Amino acid sequence: MISSINFFGASHQPTHKICRKCCPKQSHFALTMHSVTRPASKSMTTKMARLKPHATDIKRNPHAHELYKLVYRLPENLSWLLAPPEIANRPASKKKQRKEGMVTGNRFGVILEWEGVVVEDDDPDLEPRVWYVLSLEEAKSFPPDAVLKKIEGMRTDEAISEVLCWSEDSKEIQRLAARKEVIYQTLRGGYYKLRPGVLDFLNTLVDFDIPIAITAPRPRKTLEEGIKAVGLQGYFDAIVASEDFFRGKPDGEMFEVAAEQLGLESDVCVVFGNSNLTTESAHSAGMRCVAVASRHPAYELQSANHVVRWLDQLSIVDLQRLADGEVIGRRGRESDMDMEIVIEE
C-alpha cells in the first residue's frame, strides 16, 4: 500500500510522480484512487493509491516482483498473516479405495488364447487347407475330417508323429512341422486383426495389475511377430508357445505352464478360448474357462463356465467371481449372445 497526502493548494504533481515512478509505462498495474475529506483548520484531502501488480508482470519483470515484496512486507510479529492456511489431506476417493482393495486383497490371473480371442480367426477352413497342401507336397494321404478334428489344437509335431503317423524320425518330424508352419503363414497372409473390445479389456487388466498370459500352439517366433504386428508388446507377463510344452489339447499342459510362468496356482486362473476343446483343456488343468463366441455360436459353447462375444463384456468383478468359482449371469448386448439360427433351403 502506497499512500501520499496532498494539502489543498498544493499541486497534485508529487502524487502523480510517485505513481509513475513506481510503475512507469506498465500496463499491467491497476491504479485506483480514493479520496477522503476530513474537516480541519485547513481543508485536507487524503489520497490513497492502491497498487495491484499483475501476475504476468511479476513473471516477466523481476523488478516488479521486488517492488511487490517491498510493498507487502510485514513486521516479523505479523508475518503469520501471510502464512498459507493449513489444508487437511484429502482422503482418497471411494473408487480408488475400492480399486486398491480389490488389487491387494484378491489375486488371480488371465490366460488368453491368441487366435479367435485376441485376433480374428474367422476362417475355419484355413487349417484343413494347410494340411491338404502339406499332404500334396509330401505325397501323403489327406486326413479325413474326424482326424482333422482330433488333431485340432495339438502341437504339429505331436499330430504328425502320434495321430497321422507320417514319420518316426525326429528330424523328419521337425522338418514337416516347420514346413507346415510356412504354408500356414503363406496362406494366412501375415495379416492380423484385433477383435473388438480386446484393447479396452487389456488396458483394464493392466490398470488393475492383473497378470496376463498369451498362449498358442505355434512357434514362439510366429506368436511374437503377431503380437508385434498388432502393437501389443508389453501387455503380456508370459508368452507360452509350442516350445514350452509337450502335450497339446485336450491336455491342459499349455495352460498349466502359463499359470506357472505367472507365478499363480491353477485354480485362480481364468482361461479365455473359442472352442469346446479349449474348455476341456482348461478344466483338465483345474481352471475356469470363458468361451468367446467368435468362430462358433454361443449355444455350442455351453460347456464353458461363461460365454461372451466380446472380451470387454466382463468386468474385473466378474473375473474375480469366476476365479472364485461363482456363477455369473449373462452380460453384454443381447443381440451378440442370441442363438444363431441357420435356415437351409
Side-chain angles (χ1 to χ4, degrees):
M1 181 79 69
I2 299 178
S3 301
S4 63
I5 302 175
N6 289 338
F7 293 96
F8 270 53
S11 173
H12 290 196
Q13 188 67 20
T15 302
H16 193 58
K17 284 184 178 180
I18 291 176
C19 297
R20 290 183 61 83
K21 185 177 179 180
C22 292
C23 47
K25 299 181 181 180
Q26 293 293 334
S27 60
H28 298 294
F29 285 88
L31 188 63
T32 59
M33 304 294 293
H34 303 276
S35 298
V36 180
T37 303
R38 296 179 180 178
S41 58
K42 289 185 178 181
S43 300
M44 181 178 65
T45 302
T46 302
K47 292 188 178 182
M48 296 175 291
R50 183 170 297 167
L51 201 60
K52 298 179 181 178
H54 196 275
T56 57
D57 186 77
I58 293 176
K59 185 182 295 184
R60 297 174 183 173
N61 189 354
H63 299 291
H65 183 59
E66 294 297 327
L67 175 62
Y68 179 81
K69 292 194 298 183
L70 179 64
V71 170
Y72 288 95
R73 183 177 299 167
L74 290 176
E76 293 183 0
N77 61 336
L78 297 178
S79 59
W80 59 272
L81 292 173
L82 296 180
E86 295 184 1
I87 301 177
N89 294 329
R90 185 177 181 181
S93 63
K94 292 183 179 180
K95 182 177 181 181
K96 184 177 181 181
Q97 290 176 353
R98 287 197 303 267
K99 174 180 174 180
E100 292 177 350
M102 185 179 300
V103 173
T104 57
N106 302 293
R107 181 72 169 170
F108 65 93
V110 171
I111 302 175
L112 303 171
E113 279 197 317
W114 173 244
E115 296 173 348
V117 176
V118 177
V119 296
E120 294 287 3
D121 181 28
D122 51 2
D123 187 0
D125 297 326
L126 177 58
E127 198 71 20
R129 288 203 306 271
V130 173
W131 284 112
Y132 178 73
V133 173
L134 182 62
S135 64
L136 288 179
E137 289 184 354
E138 301 296 328
K140 304 290 185 180
S141 59
F142 179 66
D145 293 342
V147 176
L148 289 174
K149 186 174 182 180
K150 184 177 181 179
I151 64 178
E152 181 182 351
M154 284 187 175
R155 287 169 46 108
T156 303
D157 54 354
E158 180 186 3
I160 291 174
S161 61
E162 297 183 12
V163 180
L164 300 178
C165 300
W166 282 359
S167 177
E168 296 180 356
D169 182 66
S170 59
K171 292 183 178 180
E172 177 66 10
I173 293 173
Q174 293 301 321
R175 185 190 71 81
L176 293 173
R179 178 56 187 165
K180 190 251 184 183
E181 186 63 28
V182 171
I183 297 173
Y184 175 85
Q185 294 298 329
T186 303
L187 295 181
R188 198 182 193 286
Y191 173 75
Y192 295 92
K193 179 182 178 182
L194 280 178
R195 301 196 73 246
V198 168
L199 198 56
D200 290 339
F201 181 73
L202 292 177
N203 286 329
T204 301
L205 295 180
V206 171
D207 289 342
F208 282 87
D209 197 25
I210 306 300
I212 315 170
I214 189 72
T215 62
R218 300 201 177 279
R220 177 173 296 274
K221 181 180 178 181
T222 300
L223 182 55
E224 290 180 346
E225 288 178 352
I227 293 173
K228 184 178 180 180
V230 295
L232 294 182
Q233 309 97 304
Y235 274 92
F236 306 112
D237 303 287
I239 299 177
V240 179
S242 60
E243 295 89 343
D244 300 312
F245 57 92
F246 296 100
R247 308 293 300 179
K249 300 175 186 177
D251 194 280
E253 184 184 359
M254 180 173 67
F255 300 132
E256 291 173 352
V257 172
E260 182 180 352
Q261 292 189 10
L262 292 177
L264 299 174
E265 297 294 333
S266 297
D267 58 354
V268 295
C269 292
V270 180
V271 175
F272 285 77
N274 71 332
S275 65
N276 288 323
L277 189 61
T278 300
T279 300
E280 183 180 352
S281 301
H283 288 171
S284 66
M287 305 179 186
R288 280 80 181 180
C289 183
V290 175
V292 179
S294 55
R295 179 190 293 188
H296 303 282
Y299 65 87
E300 292 184 1
L301 303 171
Q302 296 304 315
S303 60
N305 299 92
H306 193 67
V307 182
V308 296
R309 183 69 183 275
W310 316 111
L311 293 184
D312 60 354
Q313 291 176 226
L314 288 177
S315 66
I316 296 296
V317 176
D318 294 331
L319 293 175
Q320 181 64 68
R321 291 175 60 190
L322 283 170
D324 293 340
E326 299 182 26
V327 178
I328 62 176
R330 193 172 71 172
R331 292 174 55 90
R333 293 151 287 193
E334 293 294 330
S335 60
D336 292 335
M337 301 302 300
D338 287 342
M339 181 180 295
E340 299 178 12
I341 301 176
V342 179
I343 301 177
E344 297 182 0
E345 296 182 357

